[in-house]
Amino acid sequence: MKNNIESIIKYLKGSNDDFIVTSHISPDGDNIGSTLAMYYTLNKLGKNVYHVLDDNPPQNLKFLVENMNILKSEEVNLDSYNIIALDCGDKNRMCISQKLIDNAKKIICIDHHASNDYYGDFNYIDTEASSTCELVYNLLIEYEKKENINIIDEDIATCLYTGLVTDTGNFVYSNTHPSSFEMAKELLSKGAKKDTIIQKVFQSNPYNYYKLLGEALNTLDVVDGKIASITITKEMLKRNVISFNDVDGITPYTRDIEGVEVGILLKEKKENEVKISLRSKNYVDVSKIAKSFNGGGHIRAAGCTIYSSIEDAKKKIVEAVVKAIQGDKNE
Amino acid sequence: MKNNIESIIKYLKGSNDDFIVTSHISPDGDNIGSTLAMYYTLNKLGKNVYHVLDDNPPQNLKFLVENMNILKSEEVNLDSYNIIALDCGDKNRMCISQKLIDNAKKIICIDHHASNDYYGDFNYIDTEASSTCELVYNLLIEYEKKENINIIDEDIATCLYTGLVTDTGNFVYSNTHPSSFEMAKELLSKGAKKDTIIQKVFQSNPYNYYKLLGEALNTLDVVDGKIASITITKEMLKRNVISFNDVDGITPYTRDIEGVEVGILLKEKKENEVKISLRSKNYVDVSKIAKSFNGGGHIRAAGCTIYSSIEDAKKKIVEAVVKAIQGDKNE
C-alpha cells in the first residue's frame, strides 16, 4: 500500500492488538530515536508496546535507552501483534527474528530510504525527508491536530531531535531542509535536551578514541585528489580498546578534505569481513556504489560490506568509486 | 545610549553620510558575515559604504569576500562618515585605525559580547543572541516590515547563515535557541547557500591540515580527567605549511572528550606569544578565565594571549582553569 498517513493514524487509534517497535540492524541515532519516540507515543496512547532489537545501540546512544527494557526476539511471546518498522529500508534488515516478522498481523513501515519497496501493510515513506524521525514528527503533529491532544513531550522531543541531528550530521548534510529547522525549533521549544544530546552523541569520545583517530589519520590516503580513504584494522581497534560500532564518527574525515568528492572508511570487522562507509560531497551517488556490493543507503551517505582482506576490499571499493566518479561526471 | 533598534533603523534611513562597516581583529565567520550583510544592505539602500578591515579573513571564509573590495584604513579618505561596528565587544578591538574611530560622526554598535560597554552612539547589544548575525537578521526583518521592502536576498542570507553556524559551532553550542533555528529556516528559504558554506567552512581542510591534526592529537594532555589541552608550536605549523589563523577548528577536540569540562588549545604565534582558545562544556565560565589574562569572549568559548614560552603559558592557563573549576563548582 502506498503512503497514507491518515490510515496509519486511524489504525494506531483503532487497534487493540499489541505493538512491536523495531528498526534495522546496526542501529544508529535515527532508528533508536524514531523507535523510542514511537514506543513512548504508543505507551501514551494506552497500547501495549514492546521494543524488540536483536542488537545493541552504540555507546554514544546508550543515554537514550538507560531506563528502557529492550527485548530480544526470543523473549517475545505474543499472540496477535503489529510491527512498526522504523528507518528500515528493507524488510529483511529488520532487527528481529524472521518468525516475528512472518507472524505479524500488520506491518507499519515508516522510513526515508530510497531503496524501500513499500513492504508494509501501511507505509509512510518519504525519501526526501532528513530522517525517519522527521516522518515520525510529522505523523505525531498530524495525530495531535486530528485528535486535539498533546503527544510530543520532553522525552519524545529528545528522541526525535537525536535522530534529526545524527541523520543530518547535525544539519550539515544536504538532506537538511527548512522543514528540518522548523522541526528543530519546535522540538527545542518542547524541551528536547539538546545540550545532553550533543554532549553524549558528539562530545563524549573516550580519550582512547583520539589515540585511535591519530592512528587512523596516519592511514589517510588520497587518490587523484578526489577520493580519500581511511583504514581501521581490528588490531587498531583492539590496541586502543575501541569497539567496532564506535568509530563511524571518523568517516567524515575522509570526505572533508579540500577537493575530495568521495570519502571511504574501511573497518575490519573480522578476517575477510570489511564494513565500508561511503560519503560524497557534490555529485557522486554513493548509494549506487554501495548497492553494487549489496549494501544501501542514501545519495551522500551509504555503506556496504566486502568479504575479503582489507587490502583487497580497499582496492575493490576504490576502483568502483573511480568508475562512479567518471560516470557521474559524464552524466 | 542603550539598545534602540528603532533609532538605528531611523538613523540608517535618514543619514546621507558615508558608512564604514568593520569588525574586530582576527576576524571570524560571525564578524565577516555580519559585516558583509550590513555592507550589502547599505548598498541596497543606496548608501555609500566601505568595508574596512586591517586584517585578513581566514582561508575558509575567503569564498565570502571573493568579489569584495576590502580597504585598509590608510586607503580611506572620507570627510563625514559613520562607523557600523559589528561583533566587536570593545571599541579598541575594532579592526581599523584609531584615527578613523576618533573622527567618525556616529558609531553604531551591533554586538552580542558580554563585555560590551555600549560604546556606540547607537547600540543594539544582546548578549543572549547566538551571534551578531542573528542581531543583524532581526534588524533587517524589522527594517523590511517597517518599510515594506525586501532586503534579505541570497547574498545576505548566505553571509548571515555563515555567522550563525560559525558562532554556534553549527548549532552545537548552548547559545543555539529556537530563534536560531527559525532564522536558519528563513535564511535557507531565502536562498542561503548552505551546502557551499558547510563545504567551504567545515569540509575543505587541506590534506596537510589532517597531518597537523594527527601531530596535534599526539600532544593531547588530560589533567584530572577534567581539563584537556592540545599544543601547536610554530614549528608544527611550519612543517605542515598551515597558517596560524587556520587551526582554530582543532579547539573542540580538547573539549569533546568524555568527562572533560574545559578544553584548551595553545597556539604559538611567535616566540613568547601564545594564543589560547578555551571551551567549556557545562559549568565553567571561560570568559572569566580569559579576562584574567586580558582576553575575552563568551561563557563557553573565550580566548586570550599569554606572552611567555608555550610551556610556561600552558602551566599558567592550566593552573587558572584548575582554580576556576574548583571555584565554579563551589558557587
Side-chain angles (χ1 to χ4, degrees), chain B residues 231-239 266-268 310:
Chain B
T231 308
I232 298 176
T233 63
K234 57 184 169 41
E235 286 74 25
M236 284 162 70
L237 293 169
K238 200 175 161 191
R239 186 162 50 238
L266 296 111
K267 294 191 301 174
E268 189 181 26
I310 196 157

Side-chain angles (χ1 to χ4, degrees), chain B residues 9-24:
Chain B
I9 292 174
K10 203 172 153 193
Y11 188 78
L12 290 181
K13 203 183 156 208
S15 172
N16 290 317
D17 298 304
D18 295 338
F19 283 87
I20 286 174
V21 290
T22 192
S23 56
H24 71 59

Side-chain angles (χ1 to χ4, degrees), chain A residues 59 161 169-182 184-186 188-189 194-195 198-199 202-207 210-211 213-214 217-218 220-222 252-253 255-259 281-282, chain B residues 59 161 169-182 184-186 188-189 194-195 198-199 202-207 210-211 213-214 217-218 220-222 252-253 255-259 281-282:
Chain A
Q59 189 60 35
Y161 195 93
N170 203 48
F171 309 105
V172 158
Y173 306 153
S174 54
N175 61 355
T176 309
H177 305 296
S179 62
S180 322
F181 287 123
E182 171 67 22
K185 183 185 83 174
E186 287 300 319
L188 207 55
S189 302
K194 180 185 97 41
D195 292 350
I198 295 290
Q199 280 179 32
F202 301 114
Q203 301 179 344
S204 293
N205 291 311
Y207 174 65
Y210 290 101
K211 280 169 57 192
L213 176 60
L217 286 172
N218 286 338
L220 184 61
D221 186 19
V222 178
Y253 289 89
R255 179 207 51 207
D256 294 352
I257 300 170
E258 205 174 6
K281 224 181 236 169
N282 284 310
Chain B
Q59 188 59 35
Y161 195 92
N170 203 48
F171 309 105
V172 159
Y173 306 152
S174 54
N175 62 355
T176 309
H177 305 298
S179 63
S180 322
F181 286 125
E182 172 67 23
K185 182 185 83 173
E186 287 299 318
L188 207 55
S189 302
K194 179 185 95 46
D195 292 350
I198 294 291
Q199 281 180 30
F202 300 114
Q203 302 179 344
S204 294
N205 291 311
Y207 175 64
Y210 289 101
K211 281 169 59 191
L213 176 60
L217 286 172
N218 286 338
L220 183 62
D221 186 18
V222 178
Y253 289 89
R255 178 206 53 204
D256 294 352
I257 301 170
E258 205 174 4
K281 225 182 236 171
N282 284 310

Side-chain angles (χ1 to χ4, degrees), chain B residues 284-330:
Chain B
V284 172
D285 179 351
V286 288
S287 75
K288 277 192 207 165
I289 304 172
K291 217 174 165 185
S292 73
F293 292 98
N294 299 314
H298 310 285
I299 295 178
R300 300 276 168 265
C304 59
T305 299
I306 296 183
Y307 297 90
S308 70
S309 72
I310 196 157
E311 297 78 14
D312 191 45
K314 182 173 163 180
K315 199 167 156 264
K316 280 179 181 147
I317 191 74
V318 169
E319 269 174 21
V321 173
V322 167
K323 242 171 104 180
I325 285 188
Q326 286 164 350
D328 286 344
K329 259 191 133 174
N330 295 337

Side-chain angles (χ1 to χ4, degrees), chain A residues 17 49 61 69 100 110 126 128 130 164 187 201 216 237 326:
Chain A
D17 298 303
V49 52
L61 294 170
N69 183 23
L100 278 179
I110 303 176
D126 180 353
E128 295 291 308
S130 64
L164 177 63
L187 294 179
V201 175
L237 293 170
Q326 287 164 351

